[in-house]
Amino acid sequence: MTEKFSHFDDSGRAKMVDVSEKPASARIAIARGQIHMQPATLEMVREKAIPKGDVFTVAQLAGVMAAKRTAELIPLCHPLSLSHISVELELDQALTGVNITAIVKTVSRTGVEMEALMAVSMAALTIYDMVKAVDKTMRISDVRLVEKHGGQSGDVYND
């Protein structure tokens, strides 16, 4: 089986994949992740009692901003015009933490998986940054793509 890796040229150097011949289509990616914390910390987040401010609002904005700047941070990622980004945060008592979900949409020649994953990751890191003075034991986990729609590879469901 001979496979050619798409991010390497014939000399083995890294390259951006040429997607100019692919048709543009509607693309959607959904990613999820979690941040675990102490029960008292979760209650402080719920009550908006964290000294740095409203954790959810800042984390949502950070996730949106990160999705928009993904190509600046991941070297071979295509810059995309995104048509929709949502970052949803949900307190979870059973988890003792926060569930993070990002939905990213575009019409393009390439998918938005990296943008959705970046949004979840940055939202989690922002929560960590805002809450670390109160809880040094937080843990970010399970950042993953859960759905992808559009493109040649079709629909993917991972959750």
Side-chain angles (χ1 to χ4, degrees), residues 50-65:
I50 298 295
K52 284 190 173 184
D54 182 349
V55 174
F56 274 22
T57 298
V58 177
Q60 285 174 318
L61 288 172
V64 169
M65 291 171 64

Side-chain angles (χ1 to χ4, degrees), residues 117-159:
L117 289 163
M118 183 69 81
V120 168
S121 298
M122 190 55 65
L125 289 168
T126 299
I127 293 169
Y128 191 99
D129 179 57
M130 292 191 71
V131 179
K132 69 184 181 217
V134 177
D135 187 347
K136 307 276 191 237
T137 66
M138 288 178 292
R139 179 174 46 88
I140 296 169
S141 70
D142 299 317
V143 175
R144 70 226 182 259
L145 179 72
V146 295
E147 284 186 40
K148 168 204 136 8
H149 303 281
Q152 291 177 341
S153 59
D155 296 345
V156 174
Y157 298 92
N158 288 330
D159 210 20

Side-chain angles (χ1 to χ4, degrees), residues 95-133:
L95 173 73
T96 316
V98 179
N99 290 307
I100 305 163
T101 302
I103 302 169
V104 182
K105 298 179 183 180
T106 190
V107 175
S108 183
R109 291 179 166 92
T110 189
V112 287
E113 297 93 335
M114 298 311 300
E115 288 75 8
L117 289 163
M118 183 69 81
V120 168
S121 298
M122 190 55 65
L125 289 168
T126 299
I127 293 169
Y128 191 99
D129 179 57
M130 292 191 71
V131 179
K132 69 184 181 217

Side-chain angles (χ1 to χ4, degrees), residues 31-107:
R32 290 203 178 103
Q34 302 170 329
I35 184 163
H36 307 257
M37 59 191 67
Q38 297 295 320
T41 308
L42 186 62
E43 189 56 32
M44 289 180 74
V45 170
R46 177 191 318 282
E47 298 296 323
K48 297 185 179 182
I50 298 295
K52 284 190 173 184
D54 182 349
V55 174
F56 274 22
T57 298
V58 177
Q60 285 174 318
L61 288 172
V64 169
M65 291 171 64
K68 291 170 29 175
R69 300 190 75 173
T70 300
E72 294 176 31
L73 299 170
I74 299 176
L76 301 176
C77 196
H78 292 86
L80 299 176
S81 176
L82 303 178
S83 55
H84 174 78
I85 306 165
S86 70
V87 178
E88 300 167 10
L89 306 165
E90 177 187 24
L91 293 168
D92 186 333
Q93 287 299 134
L95 173 73
T96 316
V98 179
N99 290 307
I100 305 163
T101 302
I103 302 169
V104 182
K105 298 179 183 180
T106 190
V107 175

